[in-house]
Amino acid sequence: MRGLKARGHHGVFPKEREEGQTFIVDLVLGLDTRPAAADDDLTKTVHYGIVAEEVVAVVQGEPVDLIETLAEHIAQVCLKHDVVREVEVCVHKPDAPITVPFDDVTVTITRSRA
């Protein structure tokens, strides 16, 4: 999934916590899709609509200081789905409080089942 957007109140500065800002999340889920494809069965894969809703709920939820922490929380939500073996999470913070011109601030992590 690319470009999931949600408003959150994450950041270390009071203004970020009070006013909030838009965060964008990209996900790559690692799973074996062959069983679902063979039977054309949604129950044998991950429902991306549900994952999207869960990720947005994390972004809209309890504020954290760092987008690294936000990415970790998102990864853990994705890994709760039994079929997901690995996840890559990229959190974009396009309105980060930086005093010089920039296009985007991102943090990308990869997590897998131990």
Side-chain angles (χ1 to χ4, degrees):
M1 283 184 268
R2 301 270 185 238
L4 291 172
K5 294 180 184 174
R7 190 158 186 83
H9 294 264
H10 311 288
V12 296
F13 298 115
K15 184 176 180 182
E16 293 179 289
R17 292 293 183 104
E18 293 165 11
E19 296 179 10
Q21 60 192 291
T22 299
F23 293 84
I24 302 166
V25 179
D26 301 327
L27 298 173
V28 178
L29 303 177
L31 62 141
D32 185 355
T33 60
R34 290 174 290 194
D39 296 334
D40 198 27
D41 186 348
L42 177 61
T43 65
K44 295 182 178 180
T45 189
V46 64
H47 191 307
Y48 54 81
I50 291 172
V51 172
E53 290 172 359
E54 292 171 346
V55 168
V56 165
V58 172
V59 175
Q60 292 174 338
E62 189 68 31
V64 296
D65 288 343
L66 305 176
I67 59 174
E68 291 86 347
T69 307
L70 183 59
E72 186 67 36
H73 291 177
I74 292 168
Q76 295 310 312
V77 163
C78 294
L79 289 170
K80 286 183 181 178
H81 294 268
D82 290 337
V83 297
V84 177
R85 307 313 298 163
E86 182 176 85
V87 61
E88 179 184 282
V89 178
C90 180
V91 175
H92 301 256
K93 189 175 179 180
D95 299 319
I98 297 175
T99 60
V100 297
F102 71 100
D103 289 331
D104 198 4
V105 171
T106 67
V107 167
T108 302
I109 65 168
T110 301
R111 298 292 182 265
S112 59
R113 295 184 183 277

